Amino acid sequence: MAKPSENKLYPIQHYVKIILVISFTALILDFIISFASITIVKQQSARDLRDTAYLYINRINSDFSYINHFMGWTLANDENVKMMDTHDTNETEFIKANDALYRRFVELQTSYDKSYNFFIFFKNKNVMLNIAPMKATYKEYQQLQHQINVFIKDKVIYEKFYSRWSTIQLAGTFYIVNIVPYHDSYMVCLIAADDLIRPLRQINLGENGYASLRAEDGSLVTSPISNKGKLLNIEREQESSSIMNTLQTRTTVNGEFDNASFYVKLVIQFGAFEKIMIVQLLIVLLAVIVACSLSFIMLYFKNKVLQPIKSFSYNLAFWTEDGEPLDSTGSKIVELEKANSQFAQLVNQIKTYKIDIYERELEKQRIQLDYMKLQIKPHFFLNCLTTIHSMAQMDMTEEIQQMALSTSVYFRYIFQNGQDFVRLEDEIEHVRVYLEIQRNRYRSSFLYRIEQEESTRDVPIPPLVLQTFIENAIKYAVSRDHEVLITLTVERRMMEEQRMTVIRITDTGPGFPPEVLEKLQQGEPLDQTLGTQIGIMNTVQRLKYLYGELAQIRFGNPPDGGASVTLYLPELPAISNETGV
């Protein structure tokens, strides 16, 4: 049978370690992802730029091929060229043929690029004419004518320039040139190297990126100008290792032309992916900052939060073993400091409550003990037996029967009563039995009167409370010298929006002694060292224990003489249910 799964508990430090492990794992993954992203984006950008360069190179190759074919066909088949070759430059036929040829190459120049310059050179006449609008300067034109004469004399035209585009420097400016020979006639196409490379410079290669044409030996044919027009110093360029080249933002792309003695070189410095790389680097930097901050926070959390919580937990465990709580380490966190302070206050309050409850329990036991003492009253029992014996000697049969029955009822009520509350009607009946017993002893020494409202019959009241004050009146007010009247009245009143049962016991005796009355009115304890005045103090404490501050007892000596005790007892519905009333 499989064991039921248990939810294992872990300390907070365990979860803190998990957070740190996850954070550093995420940081490492972020480094890896960022490094891979930079590498991939760099390669993709370089591939895109390489494809763009190849597209441009293919277009230039196509243009070169067509222009080369067009010039060769024109030399071999165009009647205008033949006319110009057979006539002198001053003749009308030469001029007309030159104009017609000029118009044809203007159309060619318009179809491709106006940067292309076209010339025709006649060896026999030693004349070179431009057959399209010319962008080269006159000085460059003269140097080009001189170079063609040199090439013809050295016989390098077929080897170096026939159907091959090469570089040439005229007046300090590099040009791309193609010379097509046919017998003694030569057609020349010339374009500035910077003009040829200009479309590639419009690509975003970064702040320090550039596009350039280079000769076969690697020397610069065009000036290294960035796409922002800044002239760059590239004399100290060095090739980086594969790792450094991967980490750096610099990428180089080379593209070869067909039938050409030069090639194009693109140097990408950030270029199209510079923003992406910056974002990736910022993400990595942010991850580092977050990881470092999290580590610092966790360290601070451990010292300022976990340690005080552990101390607080230790205090709880230590206090449950009846020990004294230790002072927690200061955490500089308001909530923890408040919790620690409140916990210390709570411990002190609990100790105070325990002591108070303990003392109240002792007081309750003492009150119950005093209550049991009042219940026993062997002296009163002996007095009752002595009275019955005296009646028997005088052959008072009827009085003996009444005295014995009252005594029996009296003690049965005392010994059978174990409740905290009884019906007020039963308590008054018990007082009446007690007064009848005392009348049999004292005869005509006192009278009593009981007045009770009908609505107070079922009011709950602590047992033997009234009897305590009635006994006190019999003991201190009744004498053989004059007749005393003892009065008991019960009524209900509304006092401060609270319905109260008011019980008043008065006598016409000498009243309370002044010193006793003052202590009773001030709520001070009476002297019980001689075993007297136990009943009054016991009753006062019982009422306070059962009612709290809701019940009141007022003692006094009325102006017309005697003593009075007034009880104000509140209605307690929950208590009445317990009495069964």
Side-chain angles (χ1 to χ4, degrees), residues 409-411 413-414 424-435 464 467 471:
V409 172
Y410 176 82
F411 281 102
Y413 181 81
I414 290 178
L424 182 57
E425 177 67 21
D426 296 336
E427 181 71 8
I428 292 177
E429 182 63 27
H430 176 68
V431 169
R432 186 181 286 110
V433 170
Y434 173 77
L435 290 173
L464 304 180
Q467 182 184 333
E471 287 180 358

Side-chain angles (χ1 to χ4, degrees), residues 35-50 240-253 268 270 273-274 276-277:
F35 182 81
S37 299
I38 292 174
T39 303
I40 293 172
V41 172
K42 179 180 178 181
Q43 293 176 352
Q44 183 64 40
S45 180
R47 188 181 301 112
D48 293 341
L49 291 174
R50 187 182 297 111
S240 302
S241 62
S242 58
I243 298 179
M244 292 301 296
N245 194 37
T246 303
L247 294 176
Q248 289 177 350
T249 58
R250 180 190 180 99
T251 302
T252 302
V253 177
I268 307 165
F270 273 154
F273 59 95
E274 59 182 338
I276 299 177
M277 292 183 63

Side-chain angles (χ1 to χ4, degrees), residues 14-176:
H14 173 77
Y15 297 102
V16 172
K17 291 180 179 178
I18 292 177
I19 293 175
L20 289 175
V21 170
I22 293 175
S23 300
F24 281 102
T25 303
L27 177 61
I28 294 173
L29 290 176
D30 185 71
F31 269 115
I32 296 174
I33 293 173
S34 299
F35 182 81
S37 299
I38 292 174
T39 303
I40 293 172
V41 172
K42 179 180 178 181
Q43 293 176 352
Q44 183 64 40
S45 180
R47 188 181 301 112
D48 293 341
L49 291 174
R50 187 182 297 111
D51 292 341
T52 302
Y54 288 160
L55 287 174
Y56 178 72
I57 290 171
N58 290 334
R59 186 177 72 83
I60 296 299
N61 287 331
S62 177
D63 292 346
F64 281 175
S65 177
Y66 181 80
I67 291 173
N68 185 70
H69 174 74
F70 185 82
M71 290 191 299
W73 184 90
T74 301
L75 283 175
N77 301 294
D78 195 298
E79 295 295 331
N80 294 312
V81 175
K82 295 179 180 180
M83 186 68 67
M84 294 173 66
D85 189 27
T86 57
H87 291 80
D88 191 67
T89 58
N90 295 324
E91 294 180 6
T92 304
E93 289 81 1
F94 183 93
I95 296 174
K96 288 182 179 180
N98 186 26
D99 290 340
L101 189 62
Y102 190 91
R103 287 192 297 271
R104 287 192 59 194
F105 276 88
V106 168
E107 293 178 1
L108 177 65
Q109 193 181 56
T110 304
S111 300
Y112 288 89
D113 193 337
K114 294 182 179 180
S115 297
Y116 286 99
N117 301 279
F118 295 96
F119 304 91
I120 189 169
F121 181 82
F122 296 102
K123 179 180 178 181
N124 296 331
K125 299 181 177 63
N126 194 23
V127 174
M128 188 178 76
L129 302 172
N130 64 303
I131 52 176
M134 183 179 64
K135 294 185 65 177
T137 64
Y138 184 71
K139 183 177 181 180
E140 294 171 344
Y141 169 79
Q142 287 180 328
Q143 288 190 7
L144 176 62
Q145 184 176 5
H146 174 72
Q147 286 291 337
I148 292 176
N149 283 320
V150 172
F151 294 152
I152 293 174
K153 291 179 181 179
D154 294 341
K155 298 181 180 180
V156 297
I157 290 181
Y158 287 95
E159 298 178 2
K160 186 175 180 181
F161 296 102
Y162 182 71
S163 298
R164 182 175 175 83
W165 296 77
S166 302
T167 60
I168 188 173
Q169 190 173 17
L170 304 175
T173 303
F174 279 99
Y175 280 88
I176 307 300

Side-chain angles (χ1 to χ4, degrees), residues 156-337:
V156 297
I157 290 181
Y158 287 95
E159 298 178 2
K160 186 175 180 181
F161 296 102
Y162 182 71
S163 298
R164 182 175 175 83
W165 296 77
S166 302
T167 60
I168 188 173
Q169 190 173 17
L170 304 175
T173 303
F174 279 99
Y175 280 88
I176 307 300
V177 65
N178 184 24
I179 303 174
V180 179
Y182 184 77
H183 299 300
D184 292 331
S185 300
Y186 302 88
M187 189 160 286
V188 181
C189 179
L190 185 72
I191 182 171
D194 287 332
D195 291 337
L196 185 66
I197 203 68
R198 185 180 296 112
L200 291 180
R201 288 177 174 171
Q202 296 175 358
I203 302 175
N204 183 15
L205 302 176
E207 182 178 0
N208 295 321
Y210 63 92
S212 64
L213 289 180
R214 298 201 174 226
E216 292 178 330
D217 58 359
S219 60
L220 279 172
V221 176
T222 57
S223 56
I225 299 175
S226 67
N227 57 352
K228 291 188 177 182
K230 177 181 178 182
L231 184 63
L232 303 176
N233 183 8
I234 59 173
E235 294 180 355
R236 298 181 179 179
E237 287 186 4
Q238 295 179 354
E239 295 296 332
S240 302
S241 62
S242 58
I243 298 179
M244 292 301 296
N245 194 37
T246 303
L247 294 176
Q248 289 177 350
T249 58
R250 180 190 180 99
T251 302
T252 302
V253 177
N254 295 325
E256 300 288 342
F257 291 97
D258 294 338
N259 299 321
S261 62
F262 55 88
Y263 64 93
V264 65
K265 181 177 182 179
L266 301 180
V267 177
I268 307 165
Q269 193 77 15
F270 273 154
F273 59 95
E274 59 182 338
K275 294 182 179 179
I276 299 177
M277 292 183 63
I278 292 174
V279 171
Q280 289 291 339
L281 292 175
L282 289 177
I283 292 174
V284 173
L285 180 61
L286 180 62
V288 173
I289 294 174
V290 169
C292 295
S293 302
L294 186 60
S295 300
F296 176 77
I297 291 172
M298 289 297 102
L299 182 61
Y300 183 85
F301 183 79
K302 178 181 179 182
N303 294 332
K304 298 299 181 180
V305 179
L306 291 184
Q307 195 63 33
I309 289 177
K310 289 175 66 177
S311 178
F312 184 78
S313 176
Y314 175 76
N315 280 341
L316 288 177
F318 194 72
W319 181 79
T320 55
E321 297 174 0
D322 296 331
E324 291 292 334
L326 301 176
D327 292 334
S328 297
T329 304
S331 63
K332 296 183 180 180
I333 297 178
V334 176
E335 290 76 8
L336 288 179
E337 292 295 333

